[in-house]
Amino acid sequence: MPELPLFPTQASTMAGKVDALYFFLVSVSAFFVVLVAALIIFFAIRYRRRAHGEVGAKVIPSLALELTWTIIPLGLGLVMFFWGANVYFVESRPPAETLDIYVVGKQWMWRFQHLDGQREINELHVPVGRAVRLTGTSEDVIHSFFVPAFRMKADIIPGRYTTLWFNATKTGRYHLFCAEYCGTRHSGMIGTIVVMEPSEYQAWLAGGGGEGSLVSQGQKLFQDLACITCHRADGEGRGPILDGVYGSKVDLVDGRIVVADDAYIRESVLSPSAKVVAGFQPIMPTFQGLVSEEQLLSLIEYVKSLKGRELNTTKK
Amino acid sequence: MPKHESSSALVPDENAAPASDPALRHHFDDLAQQHEAATLGMWLFLATEVMFFGGLFSAYMIYRVWYPGTWGDASRTLDITLGTVNTIVLITSSLTMALAVHAAATNERRKVMSFLVVTMVLGVAFLGIKSFEYYQKFAEHHVPGLDFRFEGQAPERANLFFSLYFAMTGLHALHMIIGLGILSVILYMAWRGRFTEAWHTPVEISGLYWHFVDIIWIFLFPLLYLVDRHR
Amino acid sequence: MDTDTLALPRTHYLNAEFGLASWLLTTDHKRIGLLFLGSISMFFVLGGIFAGMIRLELLTPPGDLVSDDTYNKLFTMHGIVMIFMFLIPSIPSVMGNFFVPIMIGARDLAFPRLNLLSWYIFMIGGCFTLYAIVTGGVDTGWTFYTPFSTMASTSNVMAAAVGIFIMGFSSILTGLNFIVTIHTMRAPGMTWFRMPLFLWAMYATSLINVLGTPVLAITIVSVALERAFHLGIFDPAYGGDPLLFQHLFWFYSHPAVYIMILPSMGIVSELIAAFSRKNIFGYTFVAFSSLAIAVFGFLVWGHHMFVAGMSVYGAMIFSVLSFLVAVPSAVKVFNWTATLYKGSVSYQTPMLYALGFIGLFTIGGLTGLFLASLGIDVHVTDTYFVVAHFHYIMVGGALMGYLGGLHYWWPKMTGRMYPDLWGRVAAVVTFLGFNLTFFPQFILGYLGMPRRYHAYPPEFQALNVLSTAGASVMGIGYLMPAIYLFWSLKYGPIAGPNPWGAKGLEWTTPSPPPTFNFDETPVVTEPAYAYDTVEKKLA
């Protein structure tokens, strides 16, 4: 006899919040289902047809009643909305201090990239009790990163970065599913989130990362692709200086002002002339097809590091 | 509200021959009802057309807001002279179509036919100029999917503009071709003398369709040709 | 009105002409309704076979019955066939075509030839889709999400897209026909507020058909152009946005759910009134709630995309609007329930379907609140919770209503009665089988089993076994009507014009109706469901 679980484990700080709302909705729903069913059964039996030609009695419709059952569902709906929106707001706002990890989805695997350089496929090791922020993109079609035990899901979309975050509260191994249909082996695009004690996690970190940290990989790439010839740190190059650019406001040729975030840097590499910085010519070639999503991530991480911030943390 | 809304007991007898007019279909009470149904039907159909083009218009709006520079660059490669001439041609055809409808209402068969012919000639002229523009784009490698090349900023974005350009103008041209087909049928019916003062609904609703296709172009022209011209 | 005319040989729409041509070239709305009934019944069987194979595959955790590609094609084609080829046309094309003109006292729809054309368009589109199925199938999911559908899929997307595009025009034309008919063809005295609620529902549905379907059409065209000519409207490599496709797709496909459910609500209103022999409680509220659902339905499409990368505030707006849709739905349920109060309730087959509908629709609607609620949606979207929810609406709701309507009007359409006992058994079996199939899926969904999975972790097996068992019960429940309804065509007792003692113009004309519906144009002098004016007659 197979096991019969009825409720998922709660393994993140969000899980309890989502479940509380869920139980509230379950009770409201159960109340109304029972109410409607009981009334129907009661009326159907009490007023069953007793004679062949019988017709129903005349019942005067009541405006008060109509308004009651319009306004009460409306009120309940608004309560559910505010509560749900509140939970969603927390879900979509990562805390200030996070452990950053990058995710790349492709048919049909999950690839993870730690800042220290470790790479993982279909398995993600994280410490317990620490907010983890994942930044994800896809190499081909839309995927969706879904960890039921954390009540966490977000679509991973080609051409843009999605961020999601969680804070695991229990050590253990949890299912990771792809929740957006992505082709043949969609149901095989599954993995495991391994939540470990911080000490174990440190030990695990020490055991990997053969290629150096992500920043150093990005730095190497920056030289290999000859980005360094134009984006010189002394300001003598034909391209803008990148030191301190990450997170700052950038003036463009066409008068717009944009914030230099991950998406902007990605776009500047793949489609350089789309947003040209004021005072420069659109002479940068496109690197579309020359850099992989993972290499782009390392470049972004390198540009971030030029702000001279500590690694592994993001300050809002 | 239909006129036969009154609950009078004056019910037309079903089994009698329908009141005189050969154009009256059996399931209507009178020509007025038949006309009302046909006109409402055409207006509803035009509403569906608005939604049909609306999908592309919303795509256009979003990308234009996202990539304003590219939009300007790509739009400036279109031939504004040809576009303007085409706009004038099409607006004129709307005028002649309206005159054809008016002539049908006053039961002038020859006038109906000649105005319809002028309308169709203008429609064909529009399509001819449009084909020439397409040929130009093809020669400049501005057709997405056919060795697409673009010399302005952000060629990989310009592809989007031209995709929408061809989708929108192509669908518009298709509607024009369908419209020409409809007008041919109306022309034939006019030639056979099928329209009377009492009943010329087909001319009217074809006119509605024709004007609608024109209005679509009135929106397409500034959106596609007049982006960022001041630079 | 209970005069029996069955002894007299009579001309009616079925025996007015004979031969294949008289059917294929008919402009009689009743015959066209039957043509649709035949077509969509075939498609329903096809979609049911796909569903059965899906359930069999899911009986065990590993993907062992069919290959992963085949499984993906199965759920895709189950969705495409059931949604585009059965549910969307079902009630409007069959009962709407048959009864809209009769219920308003007209001789036919406003555009009879257009009506026949819409059947042909539907069949041509259906042929394209069937061609896509027999030449290897489609594996994009019925949602055709880009970039998978435009770049990655190697299956027959093109033929399916063309088929859906063409079939869309069939529902546009049907909707257009109904709106014009209801506006311009009502019999003398048939004011808007004397119309049966089924017509209000059809009117609301037709509005969605007319305004929503073209958006799907242009979206499908864009996907086809992108596949065929590499136009880059949704291609991220060119800066296009795959999410734009989702917005355009759901702009139609969410209202499409209301295309499926609103007609059923209309039928249920008819059934509850007829079998309680009572005026529907709160007629105007039920009528306007149909329109409200149609209007709100256009404003909530974003709730399908809460985890797809919308802005937080955009999601909140869509969330609150989705909760607003719940209000008119709740109003309907309460009014139906109140109609039973002091009625004269009989439990004949159509009524059982109607009561089953209310129960299942209530559960379906309430679980919709879970999905409208942002915090929960993040967890349950794209899981079996969603699958269960929309099956409660589309099968427990739309299909139950369709079957209820079929049983209610069958004697009118054919002139024959079916065995009521069998009908009641089938209704109960369907109801029980349905709940056994889909209720476990709510639990599965909250546990986190994603939808569209060919293989799944073993801990989900028990619930899947329950679900598959329920599906076989449900299958029996659908087979039974097919058998006894066919049987009744030849052996059923003659029904007479009004076997239920119901109100409404359709029951004032003989069964089956004559070609032009009424021997003389009816004049309406009383509101719909005026049961209290009937003289009491004892058997």
Side-chain angles (χ1 to χ4, degrees), chain B residues 77-200:
Chain B
T77 67
L78 298 176
D79 191 326
I80 191 166
T81 320
L82 290 180
T84 312
V85 170
N86 244 351
T87 308
I88 294 165
V89 165
L90 213 50
I91 293 176
T92 314
S93 84
S94 254
L95 171 68
T96 55
M97 186 71 225
L99 290 169
V101 174
H102 181 73
T106 51
N107 207 5
E108 297 165 281
R109 177 165 153 268
R110 297 198 75 91
K111 260 192 182 176
V112 176
M113 285 171 64
S114 40
F115 279 129
L116 280 175
V117 169
V118 175
T119 308
M120 286 165 73
V121 168
L122 287 168
V124 171
F126 175 92
L127 287 172
I129 298 174
K130 198 79 225 161
S131 319
F132 179 70
E133 280 188 88
Y134 275 10
Y135 166 75
Q136 276 187 327
K137 288 284 117 193
F138 175 77
E140 291 167 5
H141 293 283
H142 284 175
V143 183
L146 297 175
D147 186 22
F148 182 82
R149 290 205 291 270
F150 187 72
E151 302 70 38
Q153 286 186 28
E156 54 286 329
R157 300 276 191 265
N159 192 308
L160 263 183
F161 176 87
F162 287 109
S163 290
L164 283 167
Y165 167 82
F166 280 104
M168 287 165 137
T169 55
L171 277 172
H172 177 260
L174 182 69
H175 278 80
M176 295 279 300
I177 293 166
I178 293 169
L180 289 173
I182 293 172
L183 291 189
S184 322
V185 174
I186 301 292
L187 185 62
Y188 173 77
M189 287 168 86
W191 178 64
R192 295 291 305 271
R194 298 277 292 280
F195 303 125
T196 60
E197 274 169 67
W199 189 76
H200 50 273

Side-chain angles (χ1 to χ4, degrees), chain B residues 1-2 4-12 14-15 25-29 33 36-38 40-42 44-45 47-49 51-53 55-56 58-59 62-63 66-67 144-146 156-157 159-160 162-164 166-167 171, chain C residues 107-113 165 169 172 176 179-180 183-192 194 210-211 214-215 217-218 221-222 225 229-234 237-241 244 248 251 516 518-521 523-524:
Chain B
M1 275 294 173
H4 49 273
E5 193 64 34
S6 64
S7 50
S8 73
L10 284 175
V11 183
E14 282 304 323
N15 304 325
R25 304 281 320 277
H26 71 84
H27 55 287
F28 289 109
D29 293 334
Q33 188 191 24
E36 190 188 13
L40 179 62
M42 184 44 94
L44 273 172
F45 177 72
T48 71
E49 291 276 27
M51 298 303 285
F52 187 72
F53 279 97
L56 287 177
S58 44
I62 287 162
Y63 293 142
W66 280 2
Y67 313 124
L146 297 175
E156 54 286 329
R157 300 276 191 265
N159 192 308
L160 263 183
F162 287 109
S163 290
L164 283 167
F166 280 104
L171 277 172
Chain C
R107 290 189 284 283
D108 204 321
L109 283 169
F111 310 116
R113 284 173 294 190
F165 174 78
F169 284 94
I172 290 176
L176 190 146
I179 294 179
V180 174
H183 265 283
T184 62
M185 313 274 291
R186 299 191 307 279
M190 174 61 82
T191 59
W192 282 89
R194 285 179 181 172
V210 165
L211 295 176
V215 180
I218 191 68
V221 166
S222 305
L225 289 175
F229 305 116
H230 304 285
L231 294 185
I233 298 176
F234 307 121
Y238 298 130
D241 188 3
L244 177 64
L248 290 171
F251 183 85
F516 292 136
F518 300 98
D519 295 328
E520 49 187 53
T521 302
V523 179
V524 182

Side-chain angles (χ1 to χ4, degrees), chain B residues 45, chain C residues 24-28 32 35-36 97 111-125 166-167 169-171 173-174 177:
Chain B
F45 177 72
Chain C
L24 293 181
L25 299 176
T26 183
T27 54
D28 180 352
I32 294 169
L35 288 176
F36 267 111
N97 262 331
F111 310 116
R113 284 173 294 190
L114 206 62
N115 196 17
L116 179 65
L117 179 68
S118 82
W119 181 72
Y120 275 101
I121 290 176
F122 177 71
M123 290 311 283
I124 292 167
I166 295 174
M167 281 188 284
F169 284 94
S170 169
S171 54
L173 293 179
T174 302
N177 223 335

Side-chain angles (χ1 to χ4, degrees), chain C residues 472-495:
Chain C
S472 38
V473 176
M474 197 165 50
I476 294 168
Y478 293 139
L479 267 180
M480 286 159 72
I483 295 166
Y484 61 71
L485 288 178
F486 265 115
W487 176 91
S488 75
L489 287 177
K490 198 164 166 62
Y491 304 104
I494 302 289

Side-chain angles (χ1 to χ4, degrees), chain C residues 414-429:
Chain C
T414 64
R416 302 273 183 168
M417 251 339 228
Y418 49 87
D420 198 57
L421 176 66
W422 280 108
R424 281 182 282 179
V425 170
V428 171
V429 167

Side-chain angles (χ1 to χ4, degrees), chain A residues 1-9 15 18-23 25-30 32-33 35-36 39-41 43-63 65-67 69-71 73-78 80-89 91-93 107-108 140-142 144 146-160 162 175-190 266 288, chain C residues 68-69 72 75-76 139-141 145-148 151-152 236-238 241-243 246 274-278 281-283 285 306-313 315-317 319-320 323-324 326-327 330-331 333-335 337-338 340-348 355 358-359 362-363 366-367 369-370 373-383 385 442-443 445-455 457-463 466 500 531-532 534-539:
Chain A
M1 191 61 212
E3 53 180 321
L4 183 62
L6 296 175
F7 203 73
T9 13
V18 174
D19 290 344
L21 173 60
Y22 179 71
F23 287 127
L25 262 76
V26 168
S27 17
V28 171
S29 303
F32 277 107
V33 170
L35 175 75
V36 169
L39 283 176
I40 286 179
I41 291 166
F43 288 157
I45 292 172
R46 169 72 181 72
Y47 301 108
R48 66 189 176 278
R49 190 168 302 168
R50 291 178 169 82
H52 178 66
E54 186 183 60
V55 294
K58 207 180 175 92
V59 173
I60 306 298
S62 137
L63 184 66
L65 202 56
E66 296 285 354
L67 288 178
W69 63 46
T70 304
I71 289 165
L74 183 65
L76 278 171
L78 288 177
M80 291 172 190
F81 161 71
F82 279 112
W83 189 342
N86 205 351
V87 173
Y88 183 73
F89 212 81
E91 276 178 327
S92 50
R93 291 280 183 276
Q107 288 174 321
W108 289 276
D140 37 47
V141 300
I142 300 176
S144 189
F146 177 34
V147 183
F150 299 164
R151 313 286 186 276
M152 174 191 76
K153 183 187 287 116
D155 284 9
I156 303 292
I157 299 166
R160 61 163 80 187
T162 309
H175 280 298
L176 157 66
F177 294 121
C178 173
E180 186 63 77
Y181 174 68
C182 56
T184 305
R185 296 200 48 250
H186 167 57
S187 63
M189 192 165 164
I190 53 180
R266 182 180 191 278
Q288 191 139 18
Chain C
D68 40 19
D69 269 326
N72 297 341
F75 70 68
T76 300
D139 69 349
T140 56
Y145 272 18
T146 58
F148 182 76
M151 308 207 294
Y238 298 130
D241 188 3
L243 284 197
Q246 293 180 28
F275 292 92
S276 314
R277 296 248 174 98
K278 205 167 144 296
F281 194 89
Y283 172 95
F285 286 89
F306 286 157
V307 297
M310 287 170 76
S311 79
V312 176
Y313 298 101
M316 285 185 185
I317 288 167
S319 169
V320 76
F323 279 110
L324 290 186
V327 176
V331 165
V333 168
F334 292 130
N335 276 304
T337 309
L340 297 175
Y341 174 70
K342 290 196 177 176
S344 164
V345 183
S346 80
Y347 315 133
Q348 282 149 308
L355 296 179
I358 298 178
T362 303
I363 296 178
L366 286 164
T367 49
L369 299 180
F370 289 64
S373 172
L374 288 159
I376 297 179
D377 184 76
V378 169
H379 176 56
V380 293
T381 186
D382 276 322
T383 68
F385 193 96
F442 285 125
I443 303 166
Y446 204 77
L447 278 171
M449 178 170 168
R451 54 192 291 209
R452 300 173 167 179
Y453 261 35
H454 167 234
E459 65 258 36
F460 297 144
Q461 188 178 3
L463 290 161
L466 280 180
W500 314 114
Y531 283 94
D532 39 23
V534 176
E535 299 154 40
K536 295 208 177 190
K537 279 192 303 189
L538 290 173

Side-chain angles (χ1 to χ4, degrees), chain A:
Chain A
M1 191 61 212
E3 53 180 321
L4 183 62
L6 296 175
F7 203 73
T9 13
Q10 295 184 336
S12 79
T13 48
M14 284 313 303
K17 295 188 176 78
V18 174
D19 290 344
L21 173 60
Y22 179 71
F23 287 127
F24 169 65
L25 262 76
V26 168
S27 17
V28 171
S29 303
F31 170 77
F32 277 107
V33 170
V34 170
L35 175 75
V36 169
L39 283 176
I40 286 179
I41 291 166
F42 173 73
F43 288 157
I45 292 172
R46 169 72 181 72
Y47 301 108
R48 66 189 176 278
R49 190 168 302 168
R50 291 178 169 82
H52 178 66
E54 186 183 60
V55 294
K58 207 180 175 92
V59 173
I60 306 298
S62 137
L63 184 66
L65 202 56
E66 296 285 354
L67 288 178
T68 306
W69 63 46
T70 304
I71 289 165
I72 289 179
L74 183 65
L76 278 171
L78 288 177
V79 170
M80 291 172 190
F81 161 71
F82 279 112
W83 189 342
N86 205 351
V87 173
Y88 183 73
F89 212 81
V90 177
E91 276 178 327
S92 50
R93 291 280 183 276
E97 289 290 328
T98 53
L99 169 69
D100 284 7
I101 297 170
Y102 287 106
V103 189
V104 175
K106 71 185 290 268
Q107 288 174 321
W108 289 276
M109 61 167 80
W110 295 105
R111 295 214 298 261
F112 298 97
Q113 174 76 59
H114 294 257
L115 292 189
D116 285 5
Q118 285 85 352
R119 294 187 178 184
E120 302 188 71
I121 290 184
N122 290 346
E123 203 169 64
L124 174 63
H125 290 76
V126 290
V128 73
R130 186 152 171 213
V132 176
R133 188 177 65 157
L134 300 168
T135 303
T137 187
S138 161
E139 277 188 16
D140 37 47
V141 300
I142 300 176
H143 303 284
S144 189
F145 192 92
F146 177 34
V147 183
F150 299 164
R151 313 286 186 276
M152 174 191 76
K153 183 187 287 116
D155 284 9
I156 303 292
I157 299 166
R160 61 163 80 187
Y161 289 121
T162 309
T163 53
L164 49 163
W165 75 277
F166 62 88
N167 187 336
T169 52
K170 267 181 21 192
T171 55
R173 298 171 66 81
Y174 302 106
H175 280 298
L176 157 66
F177 294 121
C178 173
E180 186 63 77
Y181 174 68
C182 56
T184 305
R185 296 200 48 250
H186 167 57
S187 63
M189 192 165 164
I190 53 180
T192 311
I193 311 285
V194 184
V195 180
M196 324 159 83
E197 292 295 347
S199 55
E200 286 179 52
Y201 176 69
Q202 288 306 333
W204 177 84
L205 271 187
E211 299 174 55
S213 73
L214 203 53
V215 172
S216 61
Q217 291 176 36
Q219 187 171 13
K220 185 170 179 303
L221 197 60
F222 199 76
Q223 285 156 355
D224 293 351
L225 292 171
C227 313
I228 191 88
T229 52
C230 296
H231 296 284
R232 286 167 54 166
D234 57 8
E236 296 295 305
R238 290 179 296 169
I241 309 174
L242 297 184
D243 290 53
V245 81
Y246 186 86
S248 68
K249 287 194 167 67
V250 179
D251 295 322
L252 301 186
V253 166
D254 55 16
R256 286 182 299 161
I257 298 174
V258 292
V259 175
D261 55 1
D262 296 14
Y264 169 78
I265 295 169
R266 182 180 191 278
E267 184 181 43
S268 302
V269 177
L270 297 181
S271 189
S273 43
K275 293 184 176 135
V276 182
V277 180
F280 292 91
Q281 293 300 313
I283 49 172
M284 175 169 162
T286 173
F287 286 82
Q288 191 139 18
L290 301 175
V291 286
S292 69
E293 292 291 349
E294 264 105 344
Q295 289 173 317
L296 267 169
L297 293 172
S298 67
L299 283 172
I300 290 172
E301 209 47 47
Y302 172 64
V303 173
K304 269 190 198 177
S305 74
L306 296 176
K307 278 198 81 166
R309 299 169 317 150
E310 307 166 42
L311 296 182
N312 286 3
T313 57
T314 313
K315 289 201 174 61
K316 282 273 157 175

